[in-house]
Amino acid sequence: METHEQGNETFRDSIATISEEGKRAWIFPKKPNGKYYNYRSWLSYALLIILYASPFIKVKGNQFLLFNVLERKFNIFGFPFWPQDFHLVVISMITTIVFITLFTVVFGRIFCGWFCPQTVFMEMVFRKIEYWVEGDRGKQMRLNKQPWNAEKIRKRLTKWFLFFLVSFFTANVFLAYLIGSDKLIMYITDGPFLHMSTFVGLLIFTGVFYFIFTWFREQVCIIACPYGRLQGVLLDNQSVVVAYDYKRGEKEKGRAKLNKREDRNTSGKGDCIDCKQCVHVCPTGIDIRNGTQLECVNCTACMDECDSMMEKVGFEKGLIRYASIDEIENKAPFKFTNRMKGYVAVLTVLFGILVGMLFLRNDVEARILKVRGQLYEKLEDGKTIRNYYNYKIVNKTTEEIKNVTYKLISVKKGEIKVLTDDIITVPKQGLTEGELYIDLPQYEIKDGRAKVKVGVYSGDKLIETTMVGFSGPRTFR
Ligand code: SF4
Ligand code: SF4
């Protein structure tokens, strides 16, 4: 008999997916079955629909989600973000990181098991195809051992072909996030040879997805994912994780196989019947009975499996369940700790700032900056000072802005004149640049400097205002 409390920590000396010879030990997890697996399946179908559909959904003409790094165009929930909005992207990212951190402190790696794209694709797409083509754990292990006969070749080729199709399709959608779905559709219609570099990129993405889900698999979570490696810092005894109730599972005499002739309640043996189903079902190959481990992605498969074993032998369910170490050791109820309160406070402030900035953000941005190296010019009348400027108008909307003019708002006398265009039009989701000058009477300039408020109009409608610095001679007061 083996017990949890014997302090046998040898499992920490190795990882389940590497053999003693240092080679990859392939995991053949049993197909999960149960309440949590069903919930996870439904959630992952919803997530997959969102993921595949998002680049093709338009909000007011904007792609719902777009991460065009090359052209520096980003749309989040249909809101276009320009390089000028970079501060918003940074605050959104900080807020997301704090949110995930808080979530991890309270609920452990629930994100990994339920929401992470790696788990969703691996367990809900590629693994399901594998079960469909090769069968459950036993059949897969047999197939793996058998020589390359007709059956093995057929099954493996079918699986790899389907994996390639899914990877190729996913790579196309991934590309739609990067270059925009309209462009992707145009490229597909044109054919790959007209857009060779994009096509090569597509094949590279396909190859990366294929490699990850066909071969690398759980290694992403175990050795590559930085979030996974942070668990040791973020989790504490109050964090809720997928946990084995070793107090109940081991009792005084430890876990033991079921003996129908003995009364388990009086035998002193734990409720764990050592069926190892929780180990066989685990996609990272660990034994959750050893305690919380870095490899555990909280996928709940062992909870389902153990519950079904408990049901079969007539014991209470929940031997493996969502619980904190405190709850298992001391039956302590969930506590909202000071650390959690701190994270909530920071998150609330960040979220408030983000919402405020989103509301204050303008669909049109105008910048008027002095031409470099030029101070001012005194006109022939001797009373007027002229400054030259470069202007830029960014239009983040999906409508063209026509008939744009500038007017001086904060001064009664003076003139603003565009030099480059007679009629300014700003294309949708584009920008217009040019040159202009501003004339001010000398008495408007105090101490050689003035600030002028300039209005940007489309027809008669004021669409943006901007403050412009003006310089002149110091002597005029
Ligand atoms: S131990 Fe359980 S929850 Fe953790 S990865 Fe394995 S099966 Fe999933
Ligand atoms: S599935 Fe449950 S009963 Fe079976 S070995 Fe795992 S913890 Fe024990």
Side-chain angles (χ1 to χ4, degrees):
M1 274 185 301
E2 213 179 323
T3 71
H4 185 280
E5 287 169 308
Q6 279 164 350
N8 184 355
E9 298 270 312
T10 50
F11 70 93
R12 297 206 190 275
D13 301 339
S14 58
I15 54 173
T17 52
I18 306 287
S19 70
E20 278 179 13
E21 298 84 50
K23 291 195 182 131
R24 172 81 174 274
W26 201 259
I27 306 280
F28 296 97
K30 185 173 183 276
K31 187 171 189 290
N33 194 2
K35 181 174 81 176
Y36 291 100
Y37 186 64
N38 291 342
Y39 291 155
R40 277 202 309 134
S41 294
W42 285 114
L43 178 69
S44 54
Y45 299 146
L47 291 173
L48 286 167
I49 290 171
I50 293 170
L51 190 108
Y52 282 122
S54 287
F56 300 95
I57 296 172
K58 297 273 173 82
V59 179
K60 290 191 197 159
N62 292 323
Q63 188 167 314
F64 187 62
L65 287 177
L66 172 77
F67 305 97
N68 190 338
V69 185
L70 292 179
E71 290 174 22
R72 294 188 291 164
K73 282 184 183 169
F74 303 91
N75 291 353
I76 298 174
F77 304 133
F79 279 105
F81 287 85
W82 282 65
Q84 288 86 345
D85 298 318
F86 188 69
H87 58 290
L88 288 177
V89 177
V90 172
I91 291 187
S92 312
M93 282 167 71
I94 294 173
T95 311
T96 310
I97 290 168
V98 176
F99 178 74
I100 291 178
T101 309
L102 172 69
F103 207 78
T104 311
V105 168
V106 184
F107 295 111
R109 286 179 86 169
I110 282 185
F111 171 82
C112 302
W114 292 78
F115 297 97
C116 175
Q118 166 69 22
T119 312
V120 169
F121 273 103
M122 187 65 244
E123 303 306 324
M124 298 297 166
V125 181
F126 288 88
R127 194 87 75 188
K128 282 188 176 176
I129 293 174
E130 198 162 66
Y131 290 133
W132 182 60
V133 177
E134 295 187 349
D136 209 339
R137 171 181 161 83
K139 286 186 178 165
Q140 285 185 22
M141 289 167 91
R142 268 196 300 281
L143 187 76
N144 194 50
K145 275 195 195 133
Q146 77 188 42
W148 280 95
N149 57 14
E151 186 204 8
K152 186 165 176 173
I153 293 171
R154 177 176 52 80
K155 286 190 171 168
R156 283 283 153 90
L157 285 182
T158 310
K159 181 177 87 170
W160 290 336
F161 176 67
L162 291 174
F163 279 10
F164 176 79
L165 280 189
V166 177
S167 302
F168 184 70
F169 180 67
T170 309
N172 271 277
V173 176
F174 187 65
L175 205 58
Y177 278 101
L178 291 182
I179 63 170
S181 52
D182 292 343
K183 222 180 221 180
L184 176 77
I185 291 167
M186 190 184 87
Y187 286 6
I188 292 172
T189 326
D190 287 353
F193 300 111
L194 283 183
H195 308 280
M196 243 359 235
S197 57
T198 312
F199 186 60
V200 170
L202 178 72
L203 292 181
I204 291 172
F205 291 146
T206 307
V208 170
F209 288 137
Y210 186 81
F211 168 76
I212 288 175
F213 295 111
T214 309
W215 192 80
F216 203 50
R217 300 189 155 198
E218 73 290 334
Q219 299 300 312
V220 172
C221 313
I222 297 173
I223 58 175
C225 174
Y227 175 63
R229 312 219 53 101
L230 275 177
Q231 300 305 308
V233 189
L234 297 173
L235 298 185
D236 60 19
N237 281 359
Q238 275 112 30
S239 306
V240 178
V241 289
V242 172
Y244 166 67
D245 185 344
Y246 69 89
K247 293 248 168 181
R248 191 189 134 194
E250 314 285 321
K251 292 189 182 152
E252 304 92 54
K253 293 193 178 165
R255 63 186 79 138
K257 297 265 183 240
L258 189 69
N259 181 350
K260 283 191 178 154
R261 278 170 299 173
E262 93 186 334
D263 181 359
R264 198 86 173 187
N265 289 327
T266 54
S267 69
K269 292 175 186 167
D271 279 1
C272 172
I273 56 168
D274 207 16
C275 62
K276 295 201 167 55
Q277 291 308 307
C278 52
V279 183
H280 294 158
V281 82
C282 178
T284 62
I286 59 168
D287 186 343
I288 190 67
R289 295 173 301 170
N290 289 328
T292 305
Q293 293 149 72
L294 184 139
E295 295 95 321
C296 175
V297 292
N298 276 228
C299 73
T300 70
C302 54
M303 284 166 55
D304 274 335
E305 205 56 31
C306 189
D307 275 355
S308 95
M309 291 316 295
M310 294 289 104
E311 213 167 19
K312 274 185 200 146
V313 296
F315 294 170
E316 200 190 329
K317 288 197 222 171
L319 181 56
I320 304 177
R321 63 176 184 273
Y322 278 128
S324 67
I325 303 301
D326 263 8
E327 188 205 320
I328 287 174
E329 280 181 356
N330 315 316
K331 304 250 171 291
F334 174 77
K335 225 169 75 198
F336 198 54
T337 60
N338 284 338
R339 180 151 75 131
M340 294 174 195
K341 285 177 195 162
Y343 280 129
V344 170
V346 174
L347 188 66
T348 311
V349 171
L350 282 173
F351 195 69
I353 293 174
L354 185 65
V355 171
M357 284 178 137
L358 279 176
F359 273 105
L360 291 175
R361 178 180 165 275
N362 226 338
D363 277 345
V364 179
E365 263 188 38
R367 292 258 164 86
I368 301 177
L369 296 173
K370 296 252 325 248
V371 173
R372 278 189 183 205
Q374 286 200 14
L375 271 177
Y376 58 85
E377 190 181 311
K378 195 171 174 187
L379 298 193
E380 281 173 4
D381 64 3
K383 297 179 200 159
T384 310
I385 305 298
R386 176 171 291 176
N387 279 198
Y388 289 92
Y389 297 88
N390 292 318
Y391 71 82
K392 188 195 258 186
I393 307 172
V394 177
N395 176 8
K396 299 173 192 170
T397 71
T398 50
E399 304 284 324
E400 193 178 67
I401 305 177
K402 291 181 190 147
N403 221 359
V404 177
T405 50
Y406 288 106
K407 283 178 193 162
L408 299 177
I409 294 181
S410 62
V411 285
K412 288 196 187 82
K413 273 199 148 192
E415 190 192 5
I416 181 163
K417 183 155 172 45
V418 175
L419 296 166
T420 33
D421 297 283
D422 292 334
I423 300 169
I424 304 175
T425 304
V426 194
K428 60 178 184 178
Q429 298 209 357
L431 58 90
T432 298
E433 291 172 287
E435 285 169 22
L436 56 82
Y437 68 72
I438 296 176
D439 287 347
L440 285 188
Q442 289 171 4
Y443 59 79
E444 291 282 3
I445 308 156
K446 313 267 189 289
D447 293 330
R449 288 176 184 282
K451 280 268 176 207
V452 190
K453 192 174 180 184
V454 175
V456 186
Y457 291 78
S458 171
D460 293 332
K461 192 179 161 207
L462 179 69
I463 51 173
E464 169 70 319
T465 56
T466 182
M467 292 305 289
V468 179
F470 194 94
S471 58
R474 279 182 172 270
T475 45
F476 293 105
R477 279 176 170 264

